[in-house]
Amino acid sequence: MSTLSQHSRAVIGTLVHAPRFGELEIVTRGALVYDGNGIITRVLKDTEVLDGDLRAALALDPLLDEVVDYGTKLVLPGLVDAHCHAPQYVFTGTGMDLPLLEWLNKYTFPCESRFKDLEFARLAYTKAVSRHLSFGTTFCSYFGTIHGAAADLLVDIAEDLGQRAFVGKVSMDRNSPDFYIEDTSRGVQDACDFAVRTLRRYPAGARLVEAADAADADPTPIFRFERSLLNSPHEVPLVLPCVTPRFVPTCTAEMLTKLGGLSAKYGLPMQSHLSESKGEIAWVRELHPECTTYAQVYHQFGLLHRGSYMAHCIHSDDEERRLLLSTGCGVVHCPSSNFNLMSGVMDCRRFLAEGAKVGLGTDVAGGHSPSMLDAIRQAIVASTVTALRHKEGGSGEAGPAPLSYKEALYLATMGSAQVLNMEKVVGSLEVGKKLDVLVVDVDSPGSAIDCFGREDVEERVQKWLFLGDDRNLHAIYVDGRLVKAPPA
Amino acid sequence: MSTLSQHSRAVIGTLVHAPRFGELEIVTRGALVYDGNGIITRVLKDTEVLDGDLRAALALDPLLDEVVDYGTKLVLPGLVDAHCHAPQYVFTGTGMDLPLLEWLNKYTFPCESRFKDLEFARLAYTKAVSRHLSFGTTFCSYFGTIHGAAADLLVDIAEDLGQRAFVGKVSMDRNSPDFYIEDTSRGVQDACDFAVRTLRRYPAGARLVEAADAADADPTPIFRFERSLLNSPHEVPLVLPCVTPRFVPTCTAEMLTKLGGLSAKYGLPMQSHLSESKGEIAWVRELHPECTTYAQVYHQFGLLHRGSYMAHCIHSDDEERRLLLSTGCGVVHCPSSNFNLMSGVMDCRRFLAEGAKVGLGTDVAGGHSPSMLDAIRQAIVASTVTALRHKEGGSGEAGPAPLSYKEALYLATMGSAQVLNMEKVVGSLEVGKKLDVLVVDVDSPGSAIDCFGREDVEERVQKWLFLGDDRNLHAIYVDGRLVKAPPA
């Protein structure tokens, strides 16, 4: 064994995860052993050890520094929010009375422009990250604002609080209000600088920057993406920069081209919005008559690849869905936002059936709740509405079923991890992945759940998913580090 | 002034209520003075008193025993849950994978039958009532089980915990499992006995029983209903019995006839289910070919009157809606349940436009959450789905808007109060009504809401409605009694 197995630790509990769509795997009493890098090195069941005594078995391992026994509490993979806007947390829950484009102008842009004030940014981002994390989001993909210095703060805060994150400095250089817009070349430079600064915080990132800069003329950007850090759990930094054009209408062709190059050069993830509302699609068609679909615009600028993911995709037609699939671009379903902004009802089963990567996002503040439990519940509602449409359409066929809780849990863990191209790093309780887990206590004192003694593990999971909240999160681990400690 | 104004007390805070559909009335700093019967005798604004000093003005009133100043906290009318099943709280949040009729047989009936065990009933009902109340439901309309003794316990518990309630002993004598069904005459007797026992707990109720029994041959049952207790706030008992046939398919014509008579005799409220699913409607048509609508079945047995209210009404056609309107029967929208059981999407705006009384219900356990905040949020989602259907229907017209938060708050307070025929007693902050109020603190320590200092009253209300939970309920009053005290 390498030195990594020194400083191993273990947690014991009822292990529950959804490693495959629709399937729940339960180990009624099991242990996750993890090394000093926070990587799970063993998954052990009580049925595999002498007398079924996990603690005794683990005590025999001289390299194990610490064993925490959570009894019958549930140990689940952390929730992964694949799309949210950290600055918008300020006004979340208010002002949901406008459609997307008006809402952007009235609420979003004025609020985001305040983040040039770094004191305000620190306050707001601290509250936002604290809240997402305390709600069980161990890994979050954030949009920031156009301000590089504020984005640095967001990285600082995620690191300090111990949340895994992709952080995007937003890029936008057209069709934006005077008080909140970038100059193209300055904006591109800011995006590059932020990406490089963030990568350089970590030894592996610094090496990547060095290698990429040395091979500046490399004609195979996809190759660069393939060699990115994202698939090597031991090396992957806690926070990575994400290339983040706001969406096509607010970015010039020049900016999109250069952002595509930035993403390719360092193998960086890329996030944006796609086909959220019909008005937006019509606008993109007007702006880019050369493209047959909205996604095609991103594609022509090198922004669709397997490290890309797009929020919404409600109105993606056959051609657009094929393009997303063929490029490996992921899809982030944000049901609460889709309802609030009246954008439409996204049919995530169709994407899944076609083989697309689908995850879930809160889309704060289009979605009001920073809780991925809310995203899970609303994804089930949205899929129910899709199923009802089919049923009431009168075709007579059995339509698609609503998402089951098992399927929705998968989307919020493995699904989102795949979308973020991090499925080898997080999303389930498997050897080789990081220990990003929630310890869930459905009976925690003062919680909003009542149990009556006969509930089995699946029922306890359901009670948590449908009735639980942060009060049921007894402990939270990210990267093997305890970021929310159990109550004393 | 009568002796009632002795022992007056007052609460001060930011008063917020929705006395009319779509309107929010705000008194930034106001006082509610209430008498020893818990009845609001004055609503005072700081702009109406000397120097704007409410405390000083109230201190001049020698009859005022106590003034509690909640500062800038919000004082809102308590939430009114017009439809839920107390015994089903046991399994709420689990087993939502079946359509209505199968779900009844697999989950509901086996659970409800356990309530013949009074020890279990006491445990379960205590948890259920405590939870509904702590979530801000100051007035709840409960279905119990077929067991009269368990229904007595439910009344005891609501009284002890101080929740206003309508309690129904469920009646069902056909198409039910062997282990959970009543004999017709015994079942009717049990329903009558429960109603009389419950009325007799209160002086006014005892007088009503005596008067009704003395006039046994009275041919004008509607007259009796008109003179019921429900419209005299000073007399109205905290808990009233509610005639509760489960629904048409499980009740014989004989039972329905006799329950209609019971409701008429004592002027009692009557609750049941109506047009929840298409399968259920087809079944009712088969059972009652003599009726043109499902509601007509209730009507022919004397069960539709202005003290009646029906859960769901998703698939009510024009004729059925007209019958509900003409009889004064209320409609309880239970959006979460409708999604969970895939019953359909109820168009509550249509009912409202036609003049029907519409309230909200959690319908635990068809709805998973006992929180009326969840009912409010899901009512907005359901109305959004209705609006989207219209928009995407391609008529080109501007369709109905989704419910605003103000409209949804109205439904959960005044709307439900109207449905329960109690709008003169509760539902808003008005002189002559009972003090059933929530003191909401969006900044309460450890709550799930973050504020950033610039939120106005409307925004604080929205943050509570969309992001809040029981942790924001600083205090709860029912009938002028503090049932949840502020933290020490």
Side-chain angles (χ1 to χ4, degrees):
Chain A
M1 299 290 276
S2 76
T3 55
L4 290 176
S5 57
Q6 289 168 13
H7 313 293
S8 272
R9 286 173 291 176
V11 292
I12 299 178
T14 295
L15 311 181
V16 179
H17 66 154
R20 286 167 300 279
F21 186 65
E23 283 177 44
L24 207 64
E25 273 188 11
I26 294 171
V27 177
T28 308
R29 189 161 165 81
L32 300 173
V33 182
Y34 58 104
D35 68 19
N37 284 323
I39 294 187
I40 299 170
T41 54
R42 289 163 75 194
V43 179
L44 210 59
K45 303 176 187 179
D46 66 349
T47 51
E48 298 165 342
V49 302
L50 192 66
D51 297 331
D53 189 341
L54 271 179
R55 291 168 68 158
L58 290 169
L60 297 175
D61 183 345
L63 295 175
L64 211 54
D65 286 349
E66 182 192 68
V67 177
V68 181
D69 188 346
Y70 288 111
T72 58
K73 294 181 179 63
L74 310 172
V75 176
L76 293 117
L79 302 171
V80 183
D81 185 346
H83 181 73
C84 82
H85 295 261
Q88 297 179 17
Y89 182 60
V90 170
F91 62 91
T92 198
T94 64
M96 309 264 50
D97 49 346
L98 291 178
L100 174 64
L101 300 178
E102 289 174 58
W103 176 78
L104 287 174
N105 287 314
K106 181 159 177 191
Y107 294 99
T108 308
F109 292 154
C111 174
E112 290 193 10
S113 72
R114 290 180 69 190
F115 283 72
K116 60 179 173 289
D117 171 357
L118 294 183
E119 200 176 333
F120 177 70
R122 181 181 294 280
L123 168 83
Y125 282 158
T126 300
K127 286 193 181 189
V129 175
S130 302
R131 188 62 71 180
H132 282 273
L133 183 57
S134 73
F135 277 3
T137 298
T138 52
F139 180 16
C140 195
S141 178
Y142 289 113
F143 274 57
T145 63
I146 62 174
H147 314 97
D152 287 342
L153 276 179
L154 183 51
V155 176
D156 288 345
I157 291 163
E159 280 185 347
D160 284 352
L161 296 172
Q163 185 182 49
R164 189 179 303 286
F166 284 180
V167 171
K169 188 214 84 66
V170 169
S171 296
M172 50 198 277
D173 67 342
R174 67 168 172 177
N175 294 318
S176 305
D178 291 345
F179 59 84
Y180 192 57
I181 188 167
E182 297 179 298
D183 163 76
T184 304
S185 60
R186 172 73 190 275
V188 168
Q189 191 60 50
D190 281 356
C192 292
D193 290 349
F194 168 72
V196 169
R197 275 199 307 277
T198 306
L199 284 170
R200 283 200 172 130
R201 287 170 180 243
Y202 305 89
R207 288 199 307 277
L208 179 78
V209 171
E210 206 176 313
D213 286 351
D216 209 25
D218 191 329
T220 52
I222 291 304
F223 164 74
R224 291 188 187 169
F225 189 79
E226 293 296 333
R227 74 167 183 224
S228 109
L229 300 166
L230 305 185
N231 291 307
S232 49
H234 284 79
E235 291 270 40
V236 72
L238 188 70
V239 181
L240 276 173
C242 185
V243 176
T244 306
R246 182 165 213 113
F247 69 150
V248 164
T250 61
C251 300
T252 61
E254 183 185 347
M255 177 168 265
L256 291 174
T257 305
K258 289 187 173 158
L259 293 178
L262 173 62
S263 173
K265 181 172 180 182
Y266 301 108
L268 294 180
M270 195 289 295
Q271 62 183 342
S272 196
H273 299 91
L274 181 68
S275 294
E276 179 174 5
S277 77
K278 290 181 178 173
E280 174 199 2
I281 293 171
W283 192 12
V284 169
R285 190 167 298 136
E286 222 171 85
L287 293 167
H288 293 277
E290 77 279 10
C291 291
T292 51
T293 63
Y294 185 170
Q296 182 63 33
V297 184
Y298 290 114
H299 190 48
Q300 73 177 353
F301 299 120
L303 285 158
L304 291 195
H305 50 65
R306 75 178 178 82
S308 314
Y309 48 104
M310 292 285 169
H312 307 306
C313 305
I314 303 167
H315 305 286
S316 297
D317 61 15
D318 292 354
E319 184 186 342
E320 181 160 284
R321 295 199 311 280
R322 271 196 302 272
L323 180 59
L324 294 174
L325 192 61
S326 67
T327 54
C329 176
V331 168
V332 188
H333 179 28
C334 305
S336 175
S337 171
N338 299 166
F339 287 130
N340 283 339
L341 297 172
M342 253 189 85
S343 311
V345 180
M346 199 269 216
D347 183 357
C348 72
R349 267 206 196 281
R350 182 169 59 181
F351 274 108
L352 288 161
E354 292 171 351
K357 300 185 289 189
V358 180
L360 289 184
T362 61
D363 192 22
V364 165
H368 49 262
S369 172
S371 170
M372 284 295 292
L373 291 180
D374 179 74
I376 285 171
R377 294 167 196 161
Q378 295 308 307
I380 293 173
V381 170
S383 67
T384 301
V385 173
T386 300
L388 278 168
R389 281 180 179 182
H390 196 281
K391 183 179 160 194
E392 292 167 4
S395 71
E397 295 164 46
L403 289 174
S404 70
Y405 77 91
K406 297 175 185 180
E407 292 170 335
L409 179 63
Y410 171 90
L411 293 181
T413 52
M414 274 304 289
S416 286
Q418 283 172 349
V419 158
L420 302 180
N421 209 31
M422 290 275 279
E423 75 277 9
K424 292 183 187 165
V425 182
V426 295
S428 62
L429 310 179
E430 293 177 272
V431 169
K433 292 196 179 184
K434 291 279 193 175
L435 187 91
D436 283 18
V437 299
L438 310 178
V439 181
V440 171
D441 182 5
V442 292
D443 295 309
S444 65
S447 99
I449 301 174
D450 286 298
C451 285
F452 293 82
R454 288 192 183 181
E455 292 83 6
D456 62 20
V457 175
E458 290 198 17
E459 286 165 339
R460 286 194 287 142
V461 172
Q462 290 172 72
K463 288 241 178 197
W464 172 59
L465 290 176
F466 290 108
L467 299 168
D469 60 34
D470 50 310
R471 287 171 280 188
N472 301 105
L473 298 180
H474 183 76
I476 303 176
Y477 292 81
V478 179
D479 215 42
R481 174 183 161 203
L482 192 62
V483 296
K484 177 185 175 181
Chain B
M1 297 289 279
S2 75
T3 54
L4 288 175
S5 57
Q6 290 167 11
H7 315 294
S8 272
R9 287 173 289 175
V11 292
I12 299 178
T14 295
L15 311 182
V16 179
H17 67 154
R20 285 167 300 280
F21 186 64
E23 283 177 45
L24 207 65
E25 274 188 10
I26 295 171
V27 178
T28 309
R29 188 161 166 80
L32 301 172
V33 182
Y34 58 103
D35 68 17
N37 284 323
I39 293 188
I40 299 171
T41 54
R42 289 164 73 196
V43 179
L44 211 58
K45 302 176 188 182
D46 64 351
T47 51
E48 299 166 340
V49 301
L50 191 68
D51 298 331
D53 189 341
L54 271 179
R55 291 168 67 157
L58 290 169
L60 296 175
D61 183 345
L63 295 175
L64 210 56
D65 288 349
E66 181 193 69
V67 176
V68 182
D69 188 347
Y70 288 112
T72 58
K73 292 182 179 65
L74 310 173
V75 176
L76 294 117
L79 301 171
V80 183
D81 185 346
H83 181 73
C84 81
H85 296 260
Q88 296 178 18
Y89 182 60
V90 170
F91 62 90
T92 198
T94 63
M96 308 266 49
D97 50 345
L98 291 178
L100 173 64
L101 301 178
E102 289 174 59
W103 176 78
L104 287 174
N105 286 316
K106 181 159 177 190
Y107 294 98
T108 308
F109 293 152
C111 173
E112 290 193 11
S113 73
R114 289 180 69 190
F115 282 73
K116 59 179 174 288
D117 171 356
L118 294 184
E119 199 176 336
F120 177 71
R122 181 181 294 279
L123 167 83
Y125 282 158
T126 300
K127 286 193 179 189
V129 175
S130 302
R131 186 62 72 181
H132 282 273
L133 182 58
S134 73
F135 277 2
T137 298
T138 52
F139 181 16
C140 195
S141 178
Y142 290 114
F143 274 57
T145 63
I146 62 174
H147 314 97
D152 287 343
L153 276 179
L154 182 50
V155 177
D156 289 344
I157 291 163
E159 281 185 349
D160 286 351
L161 295 172
Q163 185 183 48
R164 190 179 303 286
F166 284 178
V167 171
K169 188 215 85 65
V170 169
S171 296
M172 49 197 278
D173 67 343
R174 66 168 171 177
N175 293 320
S176 305
D178 291 346
F179 59 86
Y180 191 57
I181 189 168
E182 297 178 298
D183 164 75
T184 303
S185 59
R186 171 71 189 275
V188 168
Q189 192 58 51
D190 282 355
C192 294
D193 291 349
F194 169 72
V196 169
R197 273 200 308 274
T198 306
L199 285 169
R200 285 200 171 130
R201 288 171 178 243
Y202 305 90
R207 288 199 306 277
L208 179 79
V209 170
E210 206 175 312
D213 285 350
D216 209 26
D218 189 330
T220 53
I222 290 303
F223 164 75
R224 291 186 190 171
F225 188 78
E226 293 297 330
R227 77 173 179 219
S228 108
L229 300 166
L230 304 184
N231 291 308
S232 50
H234 285 79
E235 292 271 40
V236 72
L238 189 71
V239 181
L240 277 172
C242 186
V243 175
T244 306
R246 181 165 214 113
F247 68 150
V248 165
T250 61
C251 300
T252 60
E254 184 185 346
M255 176 167 266
L256 290 174
T257 305
K258 291 188 170 160
L259 293 177
L262 172 63
S263 172
K265 181 171 180 184
Y266 300 108
L268 294 180
M270 194 288 295
Q271 62 183 342
S272 196
H273 299 90
L274 180 68
S275 294
E276 179 174 3
S277 77
K278 291 184 177 172
E280 174 199 4
I281 294 171
W283 191 13
V284 169
R285 189 167 297 135
E286 220 170 87
L287 293 167
H288 293 275
E290 77 281 11
C291 291
T292 51
T293 63
Y294 185 168
Q296 182 64 32
V297 183
Y298 290 114
H299 190 48
Q300 74 176 355
F301 298 120
L303 285 158
L304 290 195
H305 51 64
R306 74 180 180 81
S308 314
Y309 48 103
M310 292 286 169
H312 307 305
C313 306
I314 304 167
H315 306 285
S316 297
D317 62 15
D318 292 353
E319 183 186 343
E320 181 160 283
R321 296 200 309 281
R322 272 197 301 273
L323 181 59
L324 294 175
L325 192 61
S326 67
T327 54
C329 176
V331 169
V332 188
H333 179 28
C334 305
S336 174
S337 170
N338 298 166
F339 287 130
N340 282 341
L341 297 171
M342 251 188 89
S343 311
V345 180
M346 199 269 214
D347 183 356
C348 71
R349 265 204 197 284
R350 182 168 60 180
F351 274 107
L352 288 161
E354 293 171 350
K357 301 184 289 188
V358 180
L360 289 185
T362 60
D363 192 23
V364 165
H368 50 262
S369 171
S371 170
M372 283 297 290
L373 292 179
D374 179 75
I376 286 171
R377 293 167 197 161
Q378 295 309 306
I380 293 173
V381 170
S383 67
T384 300
V385 172
T386 301
L388 278 169
R389 281 180 180 181
H390 197 281
K391 184 178 158 194
E392 292 168 4
S395 73
E397 295 163 47
L403 290 175
S404 69
Y405 77 90
K406 297 176 185 181
E407 293 170 334
L409 179 62
Y410 171 90
L411 294 180
T413 52
M414 274 303 290
S416 286
Q418 283 173 349
V419 158
L420 302 180
N421 208 29
M422 288 276 279
E423 75 278 9
K424 293 181 187 165
V425 183
V426 296
S428 61
L429 310 179
E430 293 178 273
V431 169
K433 293 196 179 186
K434 291 280 193 174
L435 188 92
D436 283 18
V437 299
L438 310 179
V439 181
V440 171
D441 182 5
V442 292
D443 295 308
S444 64
S447 98
I449 299 176
D450 286 297
C451 286
F452 293 82
R454 290 191 182 183
E455 293 81 5
D456 62 20
V457 175
E458 290 198 17
E459 286 166 337
R460 286 193 287 142
V461 172
Q462 291 172 71
K463 287 242 179 195
W464 172 59
L465 290 176
F466 290 108
L467 299 168
D469 60 35
D470 51 309
R471 285 172 281 187
N472 300 106
L473 298 179
H474 182 75
I476 304 175
Y477 292 82
V478 179
D479 215 42
R481 175 183 162 203
L482 192 62
V483 297
K484 177 187 173 178

